[in-house]
Amino acid sequence: MLASHLEAADAAVTTAPVQPHGGQSSETGKRAVSKNGKLAKPMRPPAAKSVGWALVQAARLHRARVGDRLAALDLFAGQEQVVQALAVAGSMTMGDLAATLRVRPPTASKTISRLAALGFVERRAEAGDGRIVRVRLTETGMAKAAAIEKIWDEVETELLDDFEGKEKRRLRKLLRKAAGNLADAAGVTGHEVDPETEADPDDEAEAETLIGPVASDAVVRPA
C-alpha cells in the first residue's frame, strides 16, 4: 500500500543524522565552523521558498490519505480518477480518456484492463467503426464511483480545514493555472471539461474550466 511505502521512507529520513537548524553543532550548541575558520551559513529547510516543494508535499500526503481509503474498494491511488472521469462522461474513447487524464494512451489502456478484470468497466467497439473502442462503467463501477466521491469529499474536508470559501476558490484557480503552465511547457495535450457551475458572488469573472489531473507519467505530446 502507498501509505506503507511512505511510512518506510519517512522512517528512513527520521533515522538519518540531522544537522541542527542554523548550522549549530549538537554537542557544543554553537554554529559549525568551516575549514577556513569562518562560521558556516545557517542551514535552511530544503526548498524553503519553493512552491513546487510545498505542492509535492501536499500532493504526497493527499495521495496517501486517499490511497488508504481506496484499498477498501480494491483500488489503488490513481485508478479512481479513471472511474470519476467515466462517471461524469458516461462513456469515452481510449484516446479521450488518456487526454482527459493527461497520461500516455498505453497507461490509460493498462489501467482500463485492470479495472475491466475487476468488473468495474466494460469496453465496446464504436457502432459503425470497430477500430474505435469506447469505455463505460458497469453497475459495479457506478457504485464504486459513488464511494470514491465520498472518499474525496472526506479528504477534501481534511485538506481545506479552516480555509474560507474565497481561499478555496483562489487556491483551486492558482493550482489549475500552475498545472496549465506545466502542461504547456511539457507539450502535454489534453481536454478541458465543462466550466464550473459554482458561482463566486465576490467575483463571478473568476469562473474557469477544469484542467484534468496531471499524472506522474503525463508525457503525451502532440503529433
Side-chain angles (χ1 to χ4, degrees):
M1 191 186 307
L2 178 62
S4 299
H5 294 298
L6 292 174
E7 291 173 359
D10 290 341
V13 172
T14 55
T15 55
V18 178
Q19 173 70 30
H21 182 68
Q24 294 183 338
S25 167
S26 60
E27 296 180 358
T28 64
K30 299 179 181 180
R31 287 174 57 183
V33 179
S34 61
K35 292 181 179 179
N36 59 12
K38 295 182 179 180
L39 292 177
K41 292 183 178 180
M43 294 181 61
R44 294 193 306 174
K49 295 184 178 181
S50 169
V51 173
W53 175 272
L55 178 62
V56 168
Q57 294 297 304
R60 180 180 70 89
L61 292 168
H62 180 277
R63 188 176 179 87
R65 295 293 288 171
V66 171
D68 286 341
R69 290 162 171 77
L70 288 176
L73 303 179
D74 295 324
L75 290 168
F76 293 101
Q79 292 178 330
E80 86 283 3
Q81 295 179 15
V82 175
V83 176
Q84 289 173 306
L86 291 174
V88 173
S91 69
M92 304 178 74
T93 65
M94 293 299 301
D96 285 343
L97 179 60
T100 298
L101 299 179
R102 298 183 186 273
V103 298
R104 294 174 296 183
T107 299
S109 180
K110 184 182 298 184
T111 302
I112 287 298
S113 294
R114 291 172 178 170
L115 293 176
L118 292 171
F120 297 166
V121 302
E122 59 183 6
R123 291 168 285 195
R124 294 182 181 178
E126 181 79 25
D129 190 344
R131 297 172 300 177
I132 300 177
V133 176
R134 298 193 71 87
V135 185
R136 62 184 301 169
L137 295 176
T138 61
E139 290 186 8
T140 300
M142 290 299 296
K144 297 293 183 181
I148 289 170
E149 188 72 16
K150 184 175 183 295
I151 289 173
W152 271 73
D153 286 344
E154 292 173 351
V155 178
E156 187 88 350
T157 298
E158 296 176 347
L159 175 69
L160 301 176
D161 184 35
D162 294 333
F163 277 59
E164 296 181 358
K166 183 178 293 187
E167 291 177 321
K168 295 176 184 179
R169 291 188 291 271
R170 184 62 174 167
L171 176 61
R172 186 170 59 243
K173 181 177 181 179
L174 291 175
L175 288 176
R176 288 171 180 164
K177 184 175 181 179
N181 288 341
L182 290 177
D184 290 342
V188 177
T189 60
H191 294 319
E192 292 183 345
V193 300
D194 294 336
E196 289 189 58
T197 57
E198 176 187 359
D200 184 348
D202 298 318
D203 186 4
E204 294 183 355
E206 285 193 357
E208 69 282 338
T209 54
L210 169 66
I211 296 175
V214 179
S216 58
D217 60 349
V219 293
V220 181
R221 302 182 183 278

